[in-house]
Amino acid sequence: MTKPRRFGMVIGLKEDRAKDYVALHAGPGVRDLLTAAHIRNFNIFVTRMPDGKLYEFAYYEYWGSDYEADMAAMMRDPGHVAWLDVCDPMQVPLPGHTSWAEMEQIYFNW
Amino acid sequence: MTKPRRFGMVIGLKEDRAKDYVALHAGPGVRDLLTAAHIRNFNIFVTRMPDGKLYEFAYYEYWGSDYEADMAAMMRDPGHVAWLDVCDPMQVPLPGHTSWAEMEQIYFNW
């Protein structure tokens, strides 16, 4: 199996925006931009943590050959900028972060 | 693409057992049992959440045809029972749970 880079990310989700966020993600959103950026298998899960608040957890794989360049190109895309303008106000980054926080991977088994 | 079932799970990790847990997962553990149970792409991430505590987040895929039967067989395996006897005391299930808690998937994009 070719080996992609695997990412786990976390961010808070505002209680009163959760329904809107989920509905928004049922649509096309930035699916085409993710694909163009060689991001595959993008999963988002939502759960209520022991502090009583909602959090999102994302898992995705990067199958391209220049992650930084692909991410930079996506971040510059007007469609992606517009998407973040909608999503960002619905989310609560973890302390010390301005968006999704990357988690440390400690296990992988194919 | 064939469509597997995709799972996101969460559980607490005891601060004073985190190093042991990570070291344990660098070894063979129950990798053979996961494979036999048709579980693929098993990833565990660890992060410190805003409540100051460590949590583990797992993402995996089930590529078989009878999830309940495969899980039941794995849970009965003496090697898996022994593995849980070691791992369980290192973890802190979320309130209302006795082990990993399943998260709600709200987004997927291949």
Side-chain angles (χ1 to χ4, degrees), chain A residues 11-86:
Chain A
I11 195 166
L13 178 60
K14 292 182 183 172
E15 188 83 30
D16 60 351
R17 305 307 306 280
K19 273 193 179 178
D20 290 341
Y21 186 90
V22 171
L24 187 66
H25 281 71
V30 290
R31 292 174 191 268
D32 55 341
L33 297 178
L34 292 172
T35 301
H38 307 108
I39 290 176
R40 300 287 181 276
N41 208 2
F42 201 125
N43 297 262
I44 301 178
F45 300 89
V46 168
T47 200
R48 192 176 300 281
M49 293 294 286
D51 66 2
K53 298 177 182 172
L54 294 177
Y55 291 90
E56 300 173 62
F57 298 91
Y59 168 83
Y60 63 86
E61 299 164 4
Y62 175 71
W63 286 83
S65 56
D66 190 340
Y67 183 71
E68 284 65 30
D70 277 336
M71 292 308 102
M74 185 170 73
M75 295 301 277
R76 278 194 306 269
D77 188 286
H80 194 261
V81 172
W83 176 251
L84 292 186
D85 283 348
V86 174

Side-chain angles (χ1 to χ4, degrees), chain A residues 6 31 41 43 105 108, chain B residues 6 31 41 43 105 108:
Chain A
R6 302 168 193 283
R31 292 174 191 268
N41 208 2
N43 297 262
Q105 181 156 19
F108 174 70
Chain B
R6 301 168 193 283
R31 293 174 191 269
N41 208 2
N43 297 262
Q105 181 155 19
F108 173 70

